[in-house]
């Protein structure tokens, strides 16, 4: 990304400070002294004297390409929000009623909980190839992903939390819900749980007897094609092109990182991957398995 420990190369300011320097200065101005750690093979991070770790990769995506003054303002605002979040009550201190209001179901990469994000997600439930379902608490200033040990200390049981989290995620607002091409629908918004609405597709698109092909390239975006008739395969091809475009767009990378680059087919509560990538060219290809092929044949015959 070129932001960690290097100067900008866009020609606007050859002496612009690195993101690490901006972040360290912003934290110092807020009374938090930090040191820089650079684990082998990972991006640099800041570690406070109290042991808090400040990861910078997502922040780098947000500020990339902005002018130095805008970058400095964005970094300051980021840490203002983070410090404000420290005043929020611990998850274990929330009452049952507070949990009922704040719990959210969230689709996560199955790789969440390793490397730079060590949250213990052993309780996560499978959703689709490469994706699992976890639980989050939605605070006014942050979202906290629940760990397995924390889950055991809460006043509500796991099954109830998953059920309530589903209902609350279904109710999360979206900024846009539109048909952007024949048969192709987009659902997008600022909420971190927009993509997670894919767990309950009928709530968005109504019943789809032949199933739905969908994609969740990042946490703020859901793209879907309810299978209706023979023209749906063309819509799925359009969907594949849109996913490739989203993943390659702008050079900033998807907000929060890539959730999944794949297309999925959902029918009768079962979700499977129906795309892959060419080993030589890297191009996306649609893979029609038995379930998906049967659905397309049934939809064409029903017209």
């Amino acid at each position: 990304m070129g932001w960690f420990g290097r100067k900008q190369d866009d020609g606007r300011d050859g002496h612009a400070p690195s993101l690490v320097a901006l972040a360290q200065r912003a934290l110092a101005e807020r009374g938090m002294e930090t040191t820089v750690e650079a684990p082998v093979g990972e991006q640099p991070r800041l570690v406070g004297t109290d042991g808090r770790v400040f990861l910078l990769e997502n922040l780098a995506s947000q500020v990339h390409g902005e002018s130095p003054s805008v970058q400095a303002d964005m970094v300051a605002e980021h840490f203002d929000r983070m410090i404000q979040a420290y005043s929020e009550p611990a998850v274990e201190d929330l009452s049952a009623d507070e949990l009922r209001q704040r719990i959210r179901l969230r689709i996560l990469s199955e790789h969440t909980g390793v490397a730079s994000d060590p949250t213990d997600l052993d309780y996560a439930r499978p959703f689709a190839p490469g994706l699992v379902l976890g639980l989050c608490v939605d605070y006014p200033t942050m979202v906290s992903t629940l760990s397995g040990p924390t889950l055991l200390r809460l006043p509500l049981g796991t099954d109830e939390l998953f059920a309530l989290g589903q209902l609350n995620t279904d109710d999360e607002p979206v900024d846009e819900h539109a048909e952007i091409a024949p048969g192709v629908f987009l659902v997008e918004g600022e909420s971190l749980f927009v993509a997670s609405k894919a767990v309950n597709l009928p709530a968005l698109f109504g019943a789809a007897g032949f199933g739905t092909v969908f994609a969740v390239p990042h946490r703020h975006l859901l793209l879907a094609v309810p299978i209706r008739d023979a023209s749906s395969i063309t819509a799925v091809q359009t969907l594949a092109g849109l996913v490739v475009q989203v993943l390659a767009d702008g050079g900033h990378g998807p907000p929060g990182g890539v959730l999944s680059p794949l297309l999925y087919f959902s029918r009768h509560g079962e979700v499977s991957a129906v795309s892959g990538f060419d080993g030589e060219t890297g191009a996306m290809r649609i893979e029609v398995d038995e379930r998906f092929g049967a659905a397309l044949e049934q939809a064409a015959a029903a017209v």
Side-chain angles (χ1 to χ4, degrees):
M1 188 162 292
W3 250 100
F4 294 94
R6 299 197 308 177
K7 297 175 182 178
Q8 288 197 98
D9 57 4
D10 62 3
R12 287 179 292 183
D13 188 343
H15 301 286
S18 70
L19 177 59
V20 172
L22 283 174
Q24 200 165 25
R25 183 174 67 195
L27 285 167
E29 290 171 349
R30 288 153 180 80
M32 294 186 180
E33 297 299 326
T34 58
T35 57
V36 181
E37 285 189 359
V40 177
E42 298 183 29
Q43 300 287 10
R45 62 188 64 175
L46 299 180
V47 180
T49 54
D50 61 356
R52 288 174 178 165
V53 177
F54 301 92
L55 303 177
L56 303 177
E57 190 167 358
N58 285 345
L59 181 57
S61 298
Q62 296 171 32
V63 304
H64 182 72
E66 301 290 351
S67 68
S69 62
V70 172
Q71 291 159 0
D73 288 343
M74 292 176 69
V75 170
E77 291 172 3
H78 172 82
F79 287 112
D80 281 340
R81 291 193 300 270
M82 182 173 290
I83 291 169
Q84 185 180 354
Y86 292 150
S87 65
E88 300 288 359
V91 173
E92 297 94 323
D93 294 334
L94 296 176
S95 69
D97 285 342
E98 288 174 318
L99 272 174
R100 291 186 179 100
Q101 294 175 1
R102 295 188 179 188
I103 197 71
R104 300 290 187 275
L105 186 71
R106 186 171 178 185
I107 296 175
L108 300 166
S109 166
E110 66 179 359
H111 301 298
T112 303
V114 298
S116 61
D117 183 0
T119 304
D120 177 354
L121 289 172
D122 286 346
Y123 72 89
R125 297 178 176 181
F127 174 61
L131 299 173
V132 296
L133 301 179
L135 293 170
C136 297
V137 172
D138 188 23
Y139 291 97
T141 56
M142 67 173 182
V143 170
S144 176
T145 302
L146 295 186
S147 67
T150 298
L151 201 63
L152 297 175
R153 297 193 290 269
L154 299 182
L156 300 177
T158 301
D159 289 343
E160 184 177 3
L161 288 170
F162 268 94
L164 291 167
Q166 176 72 74
L167 291 172
N168 290 336
T169 293
D170 288 348
D171 287 341
E172 278 287 308
V174 301
D175 298 328
E176 186 173 3
H177 183 175
E179 186 173 8
I180 56 173
V184 182
F185 292 85
L186 172 147
V187 181
E188 189 173 24
E190 289 297 319
S191 167
L192 300 186
F193 306 100
V194 172
S196 300
K197 290 176 177 287
V199 181
N200 187 6
L201 292 168
L204 291 170
F205 309 110
F210 304 115
T212 301
V213 177
F214 70 92
V216 284
H218 59 76
R219 62 196 184 189
H220 299 284
L221 179 64
L222 167 63
L223 297 164
V225 174
I227 304 301
R228 293 171 175 164
D229 53 38
S231 69
S232 294
I233 188 60
T234 300
V236 171
Q237 292 169 339
T238 301
L239 173 61
L242 289 171
V243 172
V244 170
Q245 181 180 339
V246 167
L247 295 176
D249 187 38
H252 293 228
V258 175
L259 184 52
S260 175
L262 299 178
L263 303 186
Y264 295 96
F265 175 60
S266 175
R267 190 182 191 190
H268 302 324
E270 183 178 350
V271 182
S272 57
V274 290
S275 72
F277 294 90
D278 187 275
E280 294 183 359
T281 66
M284 178 184 283
R285 60 173 182 265
I286 297 171
E287 299 177 344
V288 181
D289 61 13
E290 184 176 354
R291 290 178 62 247
F292 186 30
L296 292 173
E297 291 176 2
Q298 291 164 10
V303 176

